[in-house]
Amino acid sequence: NNPFFGTFTGLGNTISNLTVNDTLPIAQYQFEGASYTATNGQLGLFGSVGQGGMVRDVSLVNASVSGGDGMQVGALVGHLDGMVQNAYASGQVIAGSGTPSAYGFANVNAGGLVGESYGAILNSHSSATVIAGNAFAGGLVGFVNSNSIVNSSSIANSSATGSVTVGANGAVAGGLVGEAAGSGMTITG
């Protein structure tokens, strides 16, 4: 888990036909606020964007991103602690199911743009189709969490139009966000 801490400015350019396929689980943990959570990896154009990192002004057209069990999967970013701004994704995101790992239970978080967010998503859109097993899955972001001690998650002026399909047994799906948790979070139109 080596997050990107820089600034990626796409200058309004489009990346077409991106393909990322990684179903090999690599058990690891990540620090979130005051605790550690288990994961089998983060997958997207950027696997993980750390606090202070930014990805902006870029479009992914006809992306195909596939991750395995226990992974955080998004077309643009798998795990976000920083910021995504003025971004767009179309195509397909596929993820597996939550599973036990060496560090505890690893949930699957799958989103059309971002898999899991503890950061900010601004002026962004996804029309990507999201397909996952026993997972938290959303058209824009699969799982949003906010720990007001460390950070405040936000989604502003963003939307999603792609379909979201999940398996049974406790899976959670949403048109914009699969699951939202924590305090100090804002979602505005």
Side-chain angles (χ1 to χ4, degrees):
N1 184 4
N2 295 310
F4 174 74
F5 290 104
T7 297
F8 175 86
T9 302
L11 301 174
N13 287 302
T14 297
I15 298 170
S16 298
N17 303 314
L18 170 73
T19 299
V20 180
N21 183 7
D22 185 0
T23 57
L24 178 67
I26 300 174
Q28 54 195 289
Y29 61 89
Q30 60 194 17
F31 185 70
E32 292 303 341
S35 64
Y36 289 91
T37 58
T39 180
N40 281 340
Q42 302 89 13
L43 198 60
L45 178 62
F46 291 86
S48 180
V49 175
Q51 286 185 343
M54 178 183 286
V55 177
R56 59 177 297 150
D57 306 320
V58 64
S59 294
L60 300 178
V61 173
N62 196 34
S64 176
V65 179
S66 299
D69 293 340
M71 293 184 176
Q72 300 157 3
V73 185
L76 185 63
V77 178
H79 176 87
L80 177 67
D81 283 320
M83 180 182 291
V84 168
Q85 183 174 357
N86 303 326
Y88 168 76
S90 70
Q92 182 171 278
V93 172
I94 299 173
S97 293
T99 188
S101 78
Y103 296 102
F105 193 82
N107 287 314
V108 166
N109 302 309
L113 191 68
V114 175
E116 177 180 71
S117 178
Y118 285 72
I121 301 171
L122 309 171
N123 304 320
S124 296
H125 175 73
S126 174
S127 64
T129 297
V130 179
I131 302 168
N134 182 9
F136 298 106
L140 186 71
V141 59
F143 183 79
V144 178
N145 200 343
S146 184
N147 178 338
S148 60
I149 297 170
V150 177
N151 62 359
S152 293
S153 298
S154 62
I155 298 173
N157 300 319
S158 298
S159 61
T161 57
S163 66
V164 179
T165 304
V166 294
N169 303 323
V172 178
L176 185 68
V177 175
E179 172 83 3
S183 61
M185 178 186 337
T186 59
I187 298 175
T188 59

